[in-house]
Amino acid sequence: MKRIEQVLTDAVIRAGRELWQTDLAESQIQLQKTRKDFTGDLTIVVFPFVRFAKSSPEKAGEVLGEYLVKQLDEIRDYNVIKGFLNLVIDESYWQAMLAVIAKDPDYGISQADDEAPLVMVEYSSPNTNKPLHLGHIRNNLLGYSISRVLEASGKKVMKVNLVNDRGIHICKSMVAWLKYGNGETPESSGKKGDKLVGDYYVRFDTEYKKQVKGMEAAGKPRKEAEGKAPIMLEAREMLLKWEADDPEVRALWEKMNGWVYEGFQKTYDRMGVSFDRMYYESETYKMGRDIVLKGLKDGILEQEEDGSVWADLEDRKLDRKLLLRSDGTSVYMTQDVGTAQQRFAEFPIEEHIYVVGNEQNYHFQVLSVVLDKLGYTWADKLYHLSYGMVELPEGKMKSREGTVVDADDLMDEMISTAKSMSDELGKLSEYNEEEKQNIYRQIGLGALKYFILKVDPKKNMLFDPKESIDFNGNTGPFIQYTYARIRSVLRNVSDAEVVFPQISLNEKEIDVIRLIHEFPEVVKTAADEHNPSVIANFMYDVAKEFNQFYHDHSILNADDADTRTFRISMSKLIGDMIEKGMGLLGIEVPERM
RNA sequence: GGUUCCGUAGCUCAGCUGGAUAGAGCAACAGCCUUCUAAGCUGUAGGUCCCAGGUUCGAAUCCUGGCGGAAUCACCA
């Protein structure tokens, strides 16, 4: 069935020819939703037509409105206010559309077929020396959600995680554990693996500072103290041994990373995110070197006297960028060049999305340019999904000041808040303990996820730990609650067949139906813009609108049987849509709450 | 200093591919539960859309210049 927007656009183009002898381009036809305080469903902006119509906007609107009402069964009425032509859509269109939607369980969602293009989404990409925190939560939720959204727009999606499992930071945890750990393990201490390793990272830092201070007190200049503190020398030595494949160091490294992965996995599982493939920097950090050397040979890159290799990007309004150190080793950029090349060679990737914070905007800008210079035609297929920081009222999170909001703790807190609110309301008495726990979890995480995802990714956002995340108003639980209400109504009807009898629709019903109609467009916009917040804000509108309808009109006690059937079907559709939409955000919806 | 991003109600955020009188939630105040779940609904109050120019029939939206904030500009990752 053709969407009304398309029908109208086509008709206006015909009108342009017949009324004004003008060929209108689709882009000249501005269709928008009619504002609430005016009569109508869709509005055409007439101003662009006045020069063809050679009449006032009002006159042109009248002429066009009359034409459309006469030509299209879908348009019942029109009114013109200033240069705006407001069109009232005939109920027959809504009825027919609902009938089509009712038969399509995938409404709004496009399934990928074999031909569908592949999108690779890299996200999370944690370091293995510290537990996950609030910043990672935003990354993980965005990465997971955008993957779901892209799938829903008909793409094949591969979610990947590139774990930073090597480097001096890991060695610091290892040194501290050897020195002060007394063989402590997650089992012996009861600590989550990532937390345990993180604790030793902190311990290293404390010892290091102590040593630097001591050396400064003994008269050493600060720089020297920082560079020569014994514990730091140990960490550097450990890194060298690691690179030399020292078996003892490697064994310890594997053991401690193993603890971290176990801990991370628990956090990922709880958060509800997953990956199709893991990459590890220990396996990729040398990649890209050959590519760079070839670029050098081809005269695209240049070499300094000390042997270091550089890309000169000044013609692209960027700096010179180092690609190989003077000792011939790779840097971060080199590795990303290498991994990208490997991935594009291995998979038919149409787009590669990197979900990484905006502090790396420059890095990804350079990455694309370097790849382009090196002649890779897919260089423009990289997309940096750059997101802003999560700030606390006092500014950035700082581990030194203990203001880091731990991911596990935050989830715990959200769930326990959900529990106390639920228990107070006491609506879950029919459920056993396990079922209750599951609902607390759904609500607590729903609140957290929605809170994060409703904000435009590129903006910095504020999180105030003192004012816990809301459960009322524009929140996840509000939307979940709307769903639970719908399910509650539907539990009262046994014959769940979704049909739409011909009834005369009231205003609230039309408001709700319009949103049902909009859903596929919203999913498409979110996918095109790589922006889950589009879905989040839409789901809120849907819940808000449905709640108004629910408040004003009884579903089960409607005036007549047809109206009752219609409203039950409409509620079912809205419930399904909420479930799908929230699913795209990675948020579950409870049957009761 | 260069580059990028942000600046909308007391607070948190929508709206930004130019369109009508700029919208929600929270907080405040006033109402609505013998009727499908009140985590809901209704109302009141709250605005120099950072400032100044420009483009346009029309600017929160586009352009230029300021101001304020953030990020970044390593032989770190």
Side-chain angles (χ1 to χ4, degrees):
Chain A
M1 184 174 161
K2 236 181 177 182
R3 289 180 67 86
I4 186 70
E5 290 87 350
Q6 193 57 53
V7 172
L8 270 173
T9 305
D10 294 347
V12 173
I13 289 176
R14 283 202 305 278
R17 267 188 233 121
E18 290 174 29
L19 299 175
W20 307 315
Q21 291 76 49
T22 305
D23 281 320
L24 293 169
E26 246 180 71
S27 60
Q28 284 173 292
I29 298 162
Q30 290 183 47
L31 262 181
Q32 51 193 250
K33 286 195 282 180
T34 303
R35 291 177 59 116
K36 275 252 148 150
D37 10 319
F38 298 95
T39 309
D41 300 295
L42 285 170
T43 295
I44 296 176
V45 185
V46 197
F47 290 106
F49 308 144
V50 289
R51 37 191 202 112
F52 313 116
K54 300 193 178 73
S55 63
S56 69
E58 290 83 355
K59 190 85 208 322
E62 288 290 338
V63 172
L64 183 60
E66 213 168 297
Y67 177 92
L68 292 174
V69 169
K70 201 183 289 175
Q71 296 275 319
L72 301 177
D73 294 339
E74 291 91 337
I75 302 303
R76 177 160 49 99
D77 197 7
Y78 76 93
N79 63 81
V80 181
I81 294 165
K82 297 192 205 171
F84 300 93
L85 170 59
N86 300 322
L87 300 167
V88 181
I89 295 173
D90 194 79
E91 292 184 358
S92 61
Y93 173 79
W94 299 127
Q95 299 271 3
M97 183 204 69
L98 287 170
V100 172
I101 294 171
K103 287 198 200 85
D104 179 8
D106 282 336
Y107 175 67
I109 309 282
S110 314
Q111 300 287 358
D113 55 29
D114 291 344
E115 317 275 283
L118 174 69
V119 180
M120 185 170 276
V121 181
E122 179 185 297
Y123 72 102
S124 199
S125 305
N127 291 351
T128 57
N129 60 327
K130 275 186 266 181
L132 303 174
H133 58 67
L134 185 51
H136 296 110
I137 292 185
R138 192 174 193 190
N139 181 303
N140 288 328
L141 296 181
L142 274 172
Y144 181 76
S145 178
I146 198 59
S147 302
R148 295 290 305 267
V149 169
L150 289 167
E151 272 168 357
S153 75
K155 308 269 170 64
K156 271 185 258 176
V157 174
M158 192 167 167
K159 307 189 292 285
V160 306
N161 188 355
L162 173 57
V163 182
N164 182 357
D165 61 342
R166 52 142 245 131
I168 190 78
H169 48 288
I170 320 289
C171 294
K172 289 179 182 174
S173 297
M174 287 158 65
V175 166
W177 184 83
L178 281 177
K179 287 176 96 75
Y180 313 110
N182 297 316
E184 188 183 21
T185 67
E187 290 73 35
S188 75
S189 64
K191 282 187 200 162
K192 213 160 145 277
D194 52 331
K195 296 280 159 59
L196 180 90
V197 172
D199 287 348
Y200 283 100
Y201 184 74
V202 172
R203 182 66 191 272
F204 176 95
D205 201 53
T206 332
E207 291 299 325
Y208 172 62
K209 288 217 182 83
K210 216 187 284 172
Q211 291 185 359
V212 170
K213 215 172 204 178
M215 289 164 77
E216 268 188 292
K220 291 256 200 305
R222 184 180 199 121
K223 275 235 151 132
E224 192 186 330
E226 280 174 351
K228 298 245 170 87
I231 196 165
M232 184 59 86
L233 296 178
E234 282 183 70
R236 291 227 185 84
E237 199 192 327
M238 175 100 51
L239 182 59
L240 289 175
K241 281 188 179 167
W242 183 90
E243 281 175 359
D245 265 327
D246 179 283
E248 256 175 64
V249 169
R250 286 284 177 146
L252 174 62
W253 172 75
E254 269 172 31
K255 177 162 78 178
M256 290 181 71
N257 270 343
W259 295 342
V260 173
Y261 298 144
E262 227 170 275
F264 281 176
Q265 196 54 50
K266 282 185 192 149
T267 307
Y268 287 144
D269 286 346
R270 192 143 196 235
M271 217 181 286
V273 305
S274 58
F275 305 93
D276 302 306
R277 178 154 179 166
M278 304 294 285
Y279 291 92
Y280 298 92
E281 285 201 7
S282 53
E283 291 161 4
T284 62
Y285 79 108
K286 288 179 176 164
M287 286 170 55
R289 195 165 171 273
D290 297 342
I291 297 171
V292 169
L293 290 177
K294 183 170 180 303
L296 181 63
K297 206 175 106 209
D298 295 344
I300 300 166
L301 305 172
E302 40 195 63
Q303 191 159 33
E304 293 277 295
E305 284 178 20
D306 63 6
S308 55
V309 179
W310 297 76
D312 182 357
L313 310 174
E314 278 175 35
D315 55 328
R316 310 284 187 93
K317 300 202 165 165
L318 293 167
D319 262 337
R320 270 162 55 96
K321 188 76 197 170
L322 179 86
L323 290 174
L324 287 178
R325 298 193 186 96
S326 49
D327 63 6
T329 54
S330 304
V331 293
Y332 181 38
M333 183 65 68
T334 325
Q335 175 191 248
D336 270 0
V337 167
T339 52
Q341 192 275 334
Q342 186 206 41
R343 289 176 192 174
F344 275 88
E346 188 175 353
F347 303 101
I349 298 173
E350 189 218 38
E351 184 180 30
H352 191 310
I353 297 177
Y354 295 88
V355 183
V356 181
N358 62 9
E359 70 267 19
Q360 294 199 33
N361 284 356
Y362 180 71
H363 172 80
F364 283 101
Q365 208 184 336
V366 170
L367 179 62
S368 291
V369 169
V370 167
L371 288 168
D372 185 44
K373 270 199 174 258
L374 288 169
Y376 293 107
T377 51
W378 42 262
D380 60 348
K381 293 180 177 175
L382 307 188
Y383 179 87
H384 177 201
L385 175 47
S386 160
Y387 60 89
M389 312 225 128
V390 184
E391 284 165 345
L392 302 173
E394 56 278 6
K396 270 185 86 163
M397 285 190 283
K398 294 202 182 86
S399 45
R400 234 179 300 144
E401 289 158 29
T403 57
V404 172
V405 179
D406 179 80
D408 297 316
D409 293 350
L410 182 55
M411 287 193 280
D412 285 343
E413 216 172 287
M414 294 304 300
I415 292 167
S416 85
T417 308
K419 173 174 159 50
S420 56
M421 292 189 72
S422 272
D423 289 350
E424 208 171 300
L425 292 167
K427 293 180 188 172
L428 300 178
S429 45
E430 291 180 32
Y431 281 162
N432 67 33
E433 198 49 37
E434 194 188 333
E435 289 165 330
K436 279 186 192 168
Q437 289 299 336
N438 189 41
I439 288 174
Y440 304 149
R441 184 188 60 80
Q442 291 179 329
I443 297 170
L445 291 181
L448 175 61
K449 292 180 179 186
Y450 184 85
F451 176 82
I452 302 264
L453 289 173
K454 75 168 174 186
V455 180
D456 186 338
K458 71 170 179 287
K459 292 197 180 183
N460 287 0
M461 62 180 293
L462 187 89
F463 173 78
D464 189 345
K466 285 195 292 293
E467 295 175 31
S468 56
I469 293 173
D470 270 319
F471 286 67
N472 300 314
N474 185 356
T475 65
F478 171 86
I479 300 165
Q480 292 173 316
Y481 175 71
T482 306
Y483 178 82
R485 263 178 156 183
I486 290 171
R487 300 304 302 169
S488 169
V489 170
L490 295 178
R491 274 195 292 275
N492 291 309
V493 292
S494 46
D495 51 338
E497 200 195 347
V498 181
V499 287
F500 292 94
Q502 302 283 325
I503 62 162
S504 137
L505 301 169
N506 67 42
E507 207 178 309
K508 293 288 175 200
E509 284 160 346
I510 292 179
D511 286 343
V512 171
I513 292 167
R514 275 200 291 240
L515 288 169
I516 296 176
H517 181 252
E518 223 181 300
F519 184 52
E521 295 293 303
V522 170
V523 174
K524 188 177 178 312
T525 304
D528 290 349
E529 294 179 4
H530 298 117
N531 185 355
S533 79
V534 171
I535 307 258
N537 288 302
F538 177 73
M539 291 325 293
Y540 175 67
D541 289 341
V542 169
K544 181 111 188 113
E545 211 66 65
F546 183 84
N547 281 335
Q548 286 174 22
F549 159 76
Y550 180 93
H551 181 266
D552 292 356
H553 305 284
S554 178
I555 297 165
L556 298 176
N557 296 315
D559 293 338
D560 57 83
D562 277 355
T563 305
R564 182 175 188 269
T565 306
F566 187 98
R567 288 180 182 167
I568 290 169
S569 298
M570 188 179 85
S571 303
K572 173 82 167 48
L573 245 44
I574 286 285
D576 291 350
M577 203 167 98
I578 290 177
E579 187 177 16
K580 277 186 226 169
M582 294 297 263
L584 297 182
L585 302 174
I587 300 175
E588 297 172 44
V589 283
E591 292 290 312
R592 285 172 216 256
M593 66 185 274

